[in-house]
C-alpha cells in the first residue's frame, strides 16, 4: 500500500460479501458534503442519521436507506466520512459503490485498498499502530478471551503500558545524557540519582509486560498441535474426543486416515489448532501411493507444529514389532525437537498400566478418561498461565520488540556497572531500547512494515 496516495478520497463496501439485511458503503476523504448531497438529494447534518433515497445519475433511487456524515476530524479516519447503509444485496451495494466513484470522479476518488481506512486513522493520529492492529485482531478473534483482549488493546491498554515504559526510559536518558556535559561529576551525580536503581526498575517492568505480551500473542495466534503415531493408535478418535464431534473417520483398519484433518478448539480461551495425521510407518510398508503421500504430509505438519502429541497404543505395547516401529518414529521426532514432544498413551480403558520406565499421560479417547489432563498439558507446553483480566492481545512482532528492548536495557546495565562508567555507551543503549519500544506503537516504523501490517486487513476496514 502506497503512503503517497493517502490523500485520495477512497470508497469501499464495508460489510462482508454475500447477502444480508444491511450493507454499508463507506467513503473517506476531504470535502464530502457535496458528495453526500448529490447521492441523497439532501444536506446531511453531522452525526445524524438521514433516511431517504440513494439517487442514480438519472435521479431514480438505487435504494432507500440511512446516510451518516461524520466531518473531520471527528470520525474513524480523522477525515470526512460518509456511510451509506442500504439493503445488503450484492447488486445494490455494487451499484452504490459505482455511483460513489462516478460522483467522486472530480475528487480523484478510488477504491480503497485493504486496511486503508484504519491506516488513515493511524496516519491521522486517531489510533496508534498497536491499536490499529487490535482492530484486525478483534475481527479475527476465534475465542471469547481473544476478543476481550483485543478490545482492551483497541481501547489503549497495551499502548498505555508501552508509552509509560517509554516515558521512564526517556527520563533516564535525559538524566544520563545531561551528565555527559559534566564528566568530572558524572559518576557521583548518577550515584546520587540512583540511575542504576531506576534502570533495574525499568527492566523489571519490561519483563512483566513481555510476559503478558507472550500470553496475548498466544491468545491471538493459538497453539499448533499435531497428533502423531503409528496407524490405528487412536489419533482420529482423540481428535474427535477433543473436538466433541465426529470429524475424522474411525475404523479398526490401519491407514484409514490418508490426509491431514484439522480442527480448532479452545482451552481456557486459547485457540488450539489440532491436526490429525496419517499413521507413520516406513514408506516401503505403506499399502499404496495415497497413503505414502499422506505420511509425507504428516511429517510436514510435524515440522511446523508448536507441540507434537506422540500417541502410543497400550494394547500393543508388548508387541516387539510395534515397539521397534515406535522406536524409529521416536528417534526421528526426537531429532526434530524433543522439547515439543508430549508422550501420550491411549486406550487406558483396556486396563493396561503405563509401561515400566516410561513417562507420559495415560488416557482413553473412547471414554474421555485423561482428556482434561491432556488439555492442561498442552497449555503448559505453550507456556500459558491462567489469564488475568488485564491481558491484552499482542503479536509476534510486539514480543520481538519487547525482547529487543530488554536486550538493550541489559547492555545498558552492563555499561552502567563498569568502573569507568561508560556513559556514552550507557546512553546509546538506552536510546536503542527506546527506539525498539516505539516500534510497537508505530512512533518509529518503516513504511514497508506499515504496508505489511495494513495489507492483511479486509477491504472496507
Amino acid at each position: 500500500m502506497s503512503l503517497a496516495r493517502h490523500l485520495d478520497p477512497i470508497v469501499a463496501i464495508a460489510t462482508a460479501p454475500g447477502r444480508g439485511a444491511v450493507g454499508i458503503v463507506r467513503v473517506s476523504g476531504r470535502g464530502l458534503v457535496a458528495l453526500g448531497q448529490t447521492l441523497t438529494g439532501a444536506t446531511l447534518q453531522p452525526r445524524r442519521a438521514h433516511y431517504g433515497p440513494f439517487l442514480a445519475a438519472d435521479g431514480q433511487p438505487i435504494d432507500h436507506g440511512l446516510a451518516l456524515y461524520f466531518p473531520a476530524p471527528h470520525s474513524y479516519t480523522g477525515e470526512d466520512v460518509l456511510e451509506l447503509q442500504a439493503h445488503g444485496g450484492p447488486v445494490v451495494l455494487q451499484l452504490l459503490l459505482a455511483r460513489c466513484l462516478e460522483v467522486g470522479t472530480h475528487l480523484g476518488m478510488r477504491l480503497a485498498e485493504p486496511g486503508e481506512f484504519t491506516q488513515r486513522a493511524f496516519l491521522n493520529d486517531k489510533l496508534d499502530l498497536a491499536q490499529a492492529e487490535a482492530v484486525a485482531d478483534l475481527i479475527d478473534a476465534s475465542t471469547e478471551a481473544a476478543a476481550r483482549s483485543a478490545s482492551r488493546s483497541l481501547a489503549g491498554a497495551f499502548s498505555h503500558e508501552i508509552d509509560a515504559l517509554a516515558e521512564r526510559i526517556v527520563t533516564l536518558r535525559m538524566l544520563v545524557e545531561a551528565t555527559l556535559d559534566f564528566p568530572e561529576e558524572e559518576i557521583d551525580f548518577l550515584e546520587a540519582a540512583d540511575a542504576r536503581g531506576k534502570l533495574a526498575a525499568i527492566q523489571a517492568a519490561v519483563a512483566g509486560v513481555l510476559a503478558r505480551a507472550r500470553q496475548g500473542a498466544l491468545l491471538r495466534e493459538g497453539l499448533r498441535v499435531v497428533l502423531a503415531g503409528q496407524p490405528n493408535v487412536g489419533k482420529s478418535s482423540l481428535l474427535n474426543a477433543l473436538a466433541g464431534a465426529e470429524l475424522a473417520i474411525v475404523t479398526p483398519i490401519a491407514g484409514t486416515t490418508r490426509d491431514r484433518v484439522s480442527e480448532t478448539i479452545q482451552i481456557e480461551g486459547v485457540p488450539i489448532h489440532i491436526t490429525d495425521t496419517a499413521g507413520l510407518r516406513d514408506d516401503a510398508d505403506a499399502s499404496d501411493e495415497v497413503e505414502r503421500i499422506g505420511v509425507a504430509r504428516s511429517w510436514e505438519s510435524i515440522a511446523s507444529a508448536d507441540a507434537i502429541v506422540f500417541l502410543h497404543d497400550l494394547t500393543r505395547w508388548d508387541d516387539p514389532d510395534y515397539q521397534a516401529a515406535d522406536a524409529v518414529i521416536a528417534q526421528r521426532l526426537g531429532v526434530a525437537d524433543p522439547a515439543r514432544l508430549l508422550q501420550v498413551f491411549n486406550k487406558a480403558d483396556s486396563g493396561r498400566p503405563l509401561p515400566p520406565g516410561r513417562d507420559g499421560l495415560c488416557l482413553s479417547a473412547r471414554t474421555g478418561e485423561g482428556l482434561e489432563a491432556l488439555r492442561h498439558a498442552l497449555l503448559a507446553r505453550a507456556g500459558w498461565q491462567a489469564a488475568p483480566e488485564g491481558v491484552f492481545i499482542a503479536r509476534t512482532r510486539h514480543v520481538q520488540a519487547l525482547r529487543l528492548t530488554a536486550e538493550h536495557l541489559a547492555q545498558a546495565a552492563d555499561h552502567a556497572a563498569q568502573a569507568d562508567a561508560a556513559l556514552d555507551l550507557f546512553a546509546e543503549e538506552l536510546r536503542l531500547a527506546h527506539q525498539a519500544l516505539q516500534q510497537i506503537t508505530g512512533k518509529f516504523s518503516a513504511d514497508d512494515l506499515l504496508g505489511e501490517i495494513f495489507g492483511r486487513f479486509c477491504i472496507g476496514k
Side-chain angles (χ1 to χ4, degrees):
M1 186 186 300
S2 172
L3 295 180
R5 305 173 66 197
H6 75 274
L7 296 179
D8 298 340
I10 54 174
V11 60
I13 297 173
T15 41
R19 292 176 173 81
V22 177
I24 298 174
V25 173
R26 176 179 291 157
V27 187
S28 181
R30 300 178 178 179
L32 299 185
V33 174
L35 176 72
Q37 190 166 18
T38 301
L39 290 171
T40 64
T43 300
L44 301 179
Q45 299 300 312
R47 293 173 295 281
R48 295 185 62 180
H50 170 83
Y51 176 77
F54 302 132
L55 303 174
D58 61 2
Q60 296 299 310
I62 298 172
D63 192 11
H64 287 73
L66 295 177
L68 290 163
Y69 170 60
F70 303 91
H74 305 297
S75 69
Y76 178 70
T77 63
E79 304 171 332
D80 287 354
V81 170
L82 178 64
E83 286 194 357
L84 306 177
Q85 300 182 8
H87 292 93
V91 174
V92 172
L93 294 177
Q94 288 295 334
L95 288 172
L96 276 178
L97 182 65
R99 179 60 176 152
C100 288
L101 288 169
E102 178 185 14
V103 176
T105 299
H106 69 286
L107 298 174
M109 186 173 295
R110 58 175 174 81
L111 289 172
E113 298 178 31
E116 193 166 3
F117 287 95
T118 303
Q119 185 189 52
R120 292 190 177 200
F122 166 72
L123 294 174
N124 293 324
D125 295 324
K126 304 297 287 186
L127 301 169
D128 65 30
L129 193 55
Q131 289 175 297
E133 289 171 306
V135 173
D137 294 337
L138 184 59
I139 294 171
D140 294 337
S142 58
T143 69
E144 180 180 348
R148 290 182 181 276
S149 296
S151 181
R152 280 192 287 271
S153 290
L154 179 57
F158 186 27
S159 301
H160 292 159
E161 295 215 24
I162 297 302
D163 289 342
L165 285 173
E167 185 176 344
R168 293 172 69 177
I169 293 175
V170 168
T171 300
L172 184 56
R173 283 182 64 191
M174 292 170 58
L175 176 65
V176 174
E177 291 177 11
T179 63
L180 293 174
D181 295 330
F182 304 97
E184 68 281 358
E185 301 176 7
E186 59 187 22
I187 296 177
D188 293 339
F189 184 79
L190 287 180
E191 288 292 337
D194 191 25
R196 283 194 284 180
K198 287 181 171 62
L199 176 57
I202 294 172
Q203 287 180 283
V206 168
V209 174
L210 175 57
R212 292 164 63 198
R214 287 196 192 101
Q215 303 292 294
L218 189 58
L219 274 180
R220 177 184 181 270
E221 298 166 7
L223 180 71
R224 294 169 297 171
V225 177
V226 167
L227 307 181
Q230 294 188 56
N232 233 26
V233 295
K235 298 185 299 297
S236 298
S237 297
L238 181 56
L239 173 65
N240 292 342
L242 289 170
E246 295 296 321
L247 302 173
I249 299 173
V250 177
T251 75
I253 303 172
T256 299
T257 300
R258 301 299 188 91
D259 202 355
R260 294 167 290 195
V261 178
S262 299
E263 177 68 7
T264 296
I265 65 173
Q266 60 170 302
I267 304 175
E268 294 187 15
V270 179
I272 308 292
H273 312 294
I274 303 179
T275 299
D276 174 26
T277 59
L280 301 176
R281 52 181 173 180
D282 290 341
D283 288 352
D285 296 330
S287 59
D288 55 42
E289 180 65 20
V290 174
E291 188 176 355
R292 280 193 287 272
I293 294 173
V295 170
R297 290 182 176 180
S298 295
W299 285 112
E300 290 174 3
S301 297
I302 289 169
S304 61
D306 297 314
I308 304 164
V309 174
F310 186 9
L311 203 61
H312 310 279
D313 186 347
L314 286 172
T315 64
R316 288 189 280 165
W317 193 254
D318 295 334
D319 183 343
D321 291 338
Y322 175 83
Q323 287 196 35
D326 240 25
V328 172
I329 296 171
Q331 182 179 21
R332 187 168 176 181
L333 288 176
V335 169
D337 186 356
R340 295 185 298 156
L341 276 178
L342 187 62
Q343 304 283 350
V344 177
F345 295 82
N346 190 27
K347 305 184 183 179
D349 53 302
S350 66
R352 300 286 185 93
L354 188 70
R358 300 301 297 259
D359 292 326
L361 295 173
C362 278
L363 58 79
S364 170
R366 187 176 68 84
T367 67
E369 175 189 349
L371 287 184
E372 193 62 25
L374 175 60
R375 294 186 180 101
H376 288 297
L378 289 174
L379 290 181
R381 187 57 52 97
W384 175 254
Q385 301 170 357
E389 185 62 25
V391 164
F392 37 72
I393 207 74
R395 298 187 172 206
T396 299
R397 79 169 193 90
H398 301 154
V399 175
Q400 292 172 342
L402 284 165
R403 283 176 178 159
L404 184 58
T405 301
E407 290 172 6
H408 285 302
L409 291 176
Q411 290 292 327
D414 289 342
H415 292 307
Q418 292 180 14
D420 59 352
L423 291 192
D424 52 343
L425 298 177
F426 185 8
E428 175 63 10
E429 291 297 339
L430 289 178
R431 185 188 70 81
L432 293 173
H434 185 217
Q435 180 175 293
L437 200 61
Q438 286 188 311
Q439 292 177 6
I440 294 174
T441 54
K443 293 176 182 176
F444 181 86
S445 296
D447 289 352
D448 56 351
L449 171 64
L450 299 182
E452 171 69 17
I453 291 172
F454 290 107
R456 295 179 181 272
F457 279 53
C458 56
I459 293 176
K461 196 62 181 177

